[in-house]
């Protein structure tokens, strides 16, 4: 199937006259916008500022989004949720699992007559999604200059490995001559969800502050997950040294991890809420926590966006690339700083030089993370930290 896709792209390469690297957008003609973003929760929240800017530039335009089904509820956290007319499922592992089905989806989108498609995808498979946006027939197609299909965009810029992703997603709009109205991720965590989270937490009859902890990773978990045994030992250290309760959170696909932790530690040590909350409810729990602990995954990015102090455990990915506010002192990044790390840079295929042993994560010890948690907890109690502007 990939060979067929590449042949199609090669045929389109002869039709460069149809496309250019940069065409001015006629704002008065943009009435219908599609935001096409694959990826997980973190990828979605990182495009919120771009979506706010699209609405500000085209206040009368209708905005729809195309995303993976399991992240749809993330859009309930978007501050201007009412401007999203439609959320369309894109399921490359299910109902869109081959080229013909994806082209069929693109042609169904064509009937909706989009004037502008914003598609800030990067990395492996981007040539396929660029081809899909081309088949929508939208006059304006904004995306990164990656892979052989990037010439099909009407506006594109080269994706860089040394700049935060959120900065680059906004630079795409600037390259199209559009104004950027906000550079900070804002989340709308409703009072309803906060009330639900308070009920869950108050049910413990405990006045101790809460630390939320996410021990899983959805995408490429084999390469990006700190061992569950380490999280178990970390929690032991926390409840022994810190006057706080630990809640573990995550999606339905991570329930087994929660059960392993609960079986080892018992219900008195942790509150296992993995698979028991929606994405907005999980965001409310993170918001109410005194601090968050986890790897490079969606809940970590919610914590940063919600201004919850956090300890982030990093291996092959780059904190400078995936985090939105590198200067935020209400966070601590724990990583081993091996010469080969980071190697997973959201651009191109992921080929770890270690062959998959992921030494960068293995060398992050429980003591390193526990010390960081203790340090941040003391800092929080003193109130001696700043948040992103």
């Amino acid at each position: 199937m990939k060979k067929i896709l590449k042949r199609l792209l090669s045929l389109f390469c002869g039709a460069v006259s149809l496309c250019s690297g940069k065409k001015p957008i006629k704002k008065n003609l943009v009435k219908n916008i599609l935001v096409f973003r694959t990826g997980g929760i973190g990828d979605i929240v990182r495009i919120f500022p771009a979506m706010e800017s699209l609405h500000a530039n085209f206040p009368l335009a209708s905005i729809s989004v195309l995303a993976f089904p399991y992240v749809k509820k993330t859009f309930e956290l978007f501050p201007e949720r009412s401007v999203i007319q439609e959320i369309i499922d894109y399921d490359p592992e299910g109902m869109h699992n081959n080229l013909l089905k994806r082209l069929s989806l693109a042609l169904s989108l064509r009937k909706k007559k989009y004037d502008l498609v914003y598609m800030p995808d990067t990395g492996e498979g981007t040539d396929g999604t660029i081809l899909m946006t081309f088949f929508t027939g939208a006059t304006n197609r904004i995306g990164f200059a990656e892979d052989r299909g990037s010439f099909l965009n009407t506006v594109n810029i080269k994706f860089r490995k040394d700049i935060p992703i959120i900065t680059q997603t906004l630079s795409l709009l600037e390259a199209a001559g559009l104004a950027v109205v906000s550079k900070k991720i804002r989340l709308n965590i409703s009072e309803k969800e906060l009330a639900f989270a308070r009920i869950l937490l108050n049910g413990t009859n405990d006045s101790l502050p809460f630390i939320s902890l996410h021990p899983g990773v959805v995408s490429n978990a084999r390469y990006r997950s700190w061992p569950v045994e380490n999280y178990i030992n970390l929690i032991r250290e926390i409840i022994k040294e810190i006057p706080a309760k630990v809640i573990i959170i995550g999606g339905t696909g991570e329930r087994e991890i929660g059960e392993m932790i609960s079986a080892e530690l018992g219900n008195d040590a942790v509150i296992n809420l993995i698979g028991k909350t929606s994405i907005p409810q999980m965001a409310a729990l993170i918001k109410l926590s005194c601090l968050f602990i986890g790897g490079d995954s969606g809940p970590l990015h919610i914590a940063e966006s919600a201004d919850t102090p956090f300890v982030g455990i990093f291996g092959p990915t780059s904190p400078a690339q995936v985090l939105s506010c590198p200067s935020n002192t209400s966070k601590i990044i724990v990583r081993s700083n091996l010469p080969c790390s980071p190697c997973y840079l959201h651009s191109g295929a992921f080929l770890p030089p270690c062959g998959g042993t992921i030494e960068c994560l293995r060398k992050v010890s429980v003591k390193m993370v526990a010390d960081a948690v203790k340090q941040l907890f003391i800092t929080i109690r003193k109130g001696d930290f700043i948040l992103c502007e």
Side-chain angles (χ1 to χ4, degrees), residues 109-332:
L109 295 174
R110 190 183 186 91
K111 296 177 183 178
K112 297 179 183 289
K113 300 186 184 301
Y114 293 111
D115 306 301
L116 186 154
V117 178
Y118 172 76
M119 201 277 290
D121 274 14
T122 62
E124 192 174 12
T126 305
D127 49 0
T129 48
I130 291 174
L131 185 60
M132 287 177 65
T133 63
F134 177 79
F135 275 113
T136 65
T139 305
N140 306 286
R141 301 177 300 279
I142 303 172
F144 286 110
E146 279 204 283
D147 297 320
R148 69 189 66 207
S150 61
F151 77 97
L152 294 173
N153 293 326
T154 58
V155 175
N156 59 48
I157 61 174
K158 187 171 179 58
F159 183 79
R160 292 180 55 180
K161 298 178 180 181
D162 58 343
I163 296 177
I165 290 173
I166 186 172
T167 301
Q168 298 192 70
T169 59
L170 294 172
S171 295
L172 277 173
L173 299 183
E174 293 173 331
L178 303 178
V180 171
V181 299
S182 175
K183 295 184 178 181
K184 176 175 168 51
I185 299 171
R186 296 190 304 123
L187 299 182
N188 175 37
I189 302 176
S190 71
E191 282 302 321
K192 175 185 174 183
E193 308 301 2
L194 288 169
F196 174 86
R198 289 189 184 101
I199 290 171
L200 282 180
L201 297 176
N202 290 339
T204 64
N205 295 318
D206 200 325
S207 60
L208 291 175
F210 286 85
I211 294 174
S212 54
L213 182 148
H214 178 231
V217 173
V218 175
S219 176
N220 279 318
R222 173 187 170 190
Y223 301 115
R224 298 170 56 210
S225 295
W226 203 46
V228 177
E229 297 78 15
N230 287 2
Y231 278 112
I232 290 170
N233 290 325
L234 173 65
I235 294 170
R236 284 197 177 105
E237 284 293 310
I238 291 172
I239 59 180
K240 182 172 67 176
E241 301 285 342
I242 298 175
K245 202 81 172 174
V246 177
I247 57 172
I248 51 175
I249 57 176
T252 54
E254 299 163 321
R255 279 180 172 156
E256 186 177 347
I257 297 174
E259 290 167 1
M260 288 174 60
I261 294 173
S262 294
E264 284 288 330
L265 298 174
N267 293 329
D268 291 336
V270 297
I271 303 170
N272 180 13
L273 296 178
I274 292 182
K276 299 176 182 178
T277 63
S278 66
I279 292 172
Q281 289 166 349
M282 181 174 64
L285 286 167
I286 293 171
K287 179 68 176 177
L288 294 176
S289 302
C290 67
L291 69 89
F292 171 88
I293 305 166
D296 173 23
S297 192
L300 176 74
H301 301 292
I302 288 177
E304 185 185 31
S305 305
D307 288 331
T308 299
F310 67 86
V311 173
I313 304 166
F314 278 76
T317 53
S318 166
Q321 185 186 65
V322 301
L323 296 177
S324 307
C325 183
S327 62
N328 187 343
T329 58
S330 65
K331 73 179 185 206
I332 297 178

Side-chain angles (χ1 to χ4, degrees), residues 26-33 58 60-63 85 113-116 140:
K26 297 179 180 178
K27 290 189 176 183
N28 62 315
L29 298 181
V30 175
K31 308 295 183 185
N32 201 8
I33 297 171
F58 307 102
L60 300 180
S62 169
I63 298 177
Q85 182 186 52
K113 300 186 184 301
Y114 293 111
D115 306 301
L116 186 154
N140 306 286

